[in-house]
Amino acid sequence: MSGLLRVENLVKYYGNRSSLTKALNDISLNVEEGEFTAIMGASGSGKTTLLNCISTIDRPTAGHIYIDGVCTSKLKRNALADFRRDRLGFIFQEFNLLDTLTVCENIAIALQIQRCAPKEVQGRAREAAEKLGIADVLDKYPYQISGGQKQRTAAARAIVTHPSLILADEPTGALDSRNARQLLDSLEKLNREENAAILMVTHDAYTASYSSRVLFIKDGRLFHELRRGKEDRKAFFEQIMNVTALMGGDLNYAV
């Protein structure tokens, strides 16, 4: 595997001179191609700020982020928008689907933004839907399907452009345990069978146990790292629980 994401000495401040908050404090990390990495931390730990900087939604105060060898913190506005469109896929907690479009049309939006040839759009949208197990609801509208199906639609939209990196922000946060498990099974399958690189923020130990590596953040710094190796998910889950117990804070142990 070759390096996909490199974060070097990342610092992020919010506020002004009279009231500065250091959200990220000199964070460095690497993510390899085909790696499924989870970032865990309590509310206010800096995990979402880190994801926002990596996703180019926010700019760091200092440090550098390289994705596919490109330093995103040096890209100008238009180039950054093109990079985000072509190289990154996003899965949000709140789905962000358009109720006036069918499931197929919601997935296809990402391809249309890329100006994909019209004759390819339907086939690629269906292929992504089949990978996420939602091919049977392609003609339905978001208000006609379950929360889990909505989130898998969002995941299909994220992967349909074949991005270098899929970024997921609390993807199970709005789901019940059954739908959360189905989504996580789908993400794990994508990672295993499609070699999809996934970077997922979560405060839930059960969700994190589906990954191959967990980075723990506390007070804007990297606190600890766990690698799953050849262990099964249950054993990995127990390791994650042990670290979260040491960290304290608002972390969950199960969905």
Side-chain angles (χ1 to χ4, degrees), residues 1 14 16 19 37 66 77 87 96-97 113 135 138 160 190 196 200 216 230 237 247:
M1 293 190 297
Y14 288 113
N16 51 45
S19 179
T37 302
Y66 297 88
R77 183 175 179 178
R87 305 285 188 94
N96 290 344
L97 302 179
I113 291 173
L138 278 172
V160 73
L190 281 172
M200 175 178 68
F216 298 87
K230 295 182 179 180
F237 171 66
M247 291 176 69

Side-chain angles (χ1 to χ4, degrees), residues 91-163:
I91 305 174
F92 302 98
Q93 182 176 333
E94 298 299 329
F95 317 140
N96 290 344
L97 302 179
L98 297 176
D99 279 339
T100 56
L101 301 181
T102 65
V103 167
C104 184
E105 290 167 339
N106 267 284
I107 297 170
I109 283 176
L111 295 172
Q112 291 166 346
I113 291 173
Q114 279 193 338
R115 297 183 178 87
C116 180
K119 62 182 180 180
E120 295 182 20
V121 170
Q122 289 284 339
R124 287 178 61 178
R126 175 168 289 278
E127 181 185 8
E130 288 173 350
K131 290 176 182 178
L132 273 298
I134 52 169
D136 58 331
V137 298
L138 278 172
D139 294 327
K140 293 186 177 182
Y141 290 87
Y143 60 84
Q144 296 175 313
I145 62 178
S146 70
Q149 289 170 325
K150 289 179 184 178
Q151 191 59 296
R152 280 182 282 158
T153 299
R157 182 182 58 196
I159 70 167
V160 73
T161 58
H162 305 300

Side-chain angles (χ1 to χ4, degrees), residues 159-176:
I159 70 167
V160 73
T161 58
H162 305 300
S164 300
L165 181 63
I166 298 168
L167 301 160
D169 188 6
E170 300 282 6
T172 61
L175 303 179
D176 60 28

Side-chain angles (χ1 to χ4, degrees), residues 26-252:
D26 197 31
I27 286 183
S28 296
L29 61 91
N30 292 290
V31 173
E32 303 294 332
E33 290 182 3
E35 193 169 33
F36 188 171
T37 302
I39 300 174
M40 288 194 73
S43 178
S45 63
K47 63 185 187 299
T48 297
T49 299
L50 175 60
L51 189 73
N52 286 345
C53 288
I54 291 171
S55 67
T56 75
I57 291 173
D58 203 354
R59 283 191 179 270
T61 305
H64 299 289
I65 299 168
Y66 297 88
I67 300 175
D68 274 344
V70 177
C71 184
T72 60
S73 50
K74 292 183 178 180
L75 293 177
K76 300 298 183 182
R77 183 175 179 178
N78 290 341
L80 193 61
D82 290 344
F83 183 90
R84 189 185 300 125
R85 178 196 66 199
D86 296 336
R87 305 285 188 94
L88 304 177
F90 298 90
I91 305 174
F92 302 98
Q93 182 176 333
E94 298 299 329
F95 317 140
N96 290 344
L97 302 179
L98 297 176
D99 279 339
T100 56
L101 301 181
T102 65
V103 167
C104 184
E105 290 167 339
N106 267 284
I107 297 170
I109 283 176
L111 295 172
Q112 291 166 346
I113 291 173
Q114 279 193 338
R115 297 183 178 87
C116 180
K119 62 182 180 180
E120 295 182 20
V121 170
Q122 289 284 339
R124 287 178 61 178
R126 175 168 289 278
E127 181 185 8
E130 288 173 350
K131 290 176 182 178
L132 273 298
I134 52 169
D136 58 331
V137 298
L138 278 172
D139 294 327
K140 293 186 177 182
Y141 290 87
Y143 60 84
Q144 296 175 313
I145 62 178
S146 70
Q149 289 170 325
K150 289 179 184 178
Q151 191 59 296
R152 280 182 282 158
T153 299
R157 182 182 58 196
I159 70 167
V160 73
T161 58
H162 305 300
S164 300
L165 181 63
I166 298 168
L167 301 160
D169 188 6
E170 300 282 6
T172 61
L175 303 179
D176 60 28
S177 58
R178 177 176 174 273
N179 282 312
R181 190 174 297 111
Q182 288 178 343
L183 174 67
L184 291 167
D185 285 340
S186 296
L187 292 179
E188 188 178 48
K189 183 179 179 181
L190 281 172
N191 172 250
R192 182 178 65 252
E193 297 183 1
E194 305 291 329
N195 203 38
I198 303 170
L199 186 64
M200 175 178 68
V201 160
T202 183
H203 66 277
D204 181 77
Y206 178 84
T207 299
S209 70
Y210 277 79
S211 68
S212 57
R213 179 172 65 136
V214 182
L215 301 174
F216 298 87
I217 293 182
K218 185 174 183 179
D219 300 327
R221 289 181 174 271
L222 285 179
F223 177 82
H224 192 63
E225 176 182 336
L226 284 178
R227 290 185 179 271
R228 182 170 173 177
K230 295 182 179 180
E231 292 184 333
D232 61 25
R233 193 179 58 76
K234 183 178 179 181
F236 194 44
F237 171 66
E238 291 174 352
Q239 284 192 43
I240 295 169
M241 286 180 62
N242 290 335
V243 176
T244 55
L246 286 174
M247 291 176 69
D250 182 21
L251 293 168
N252 292 340

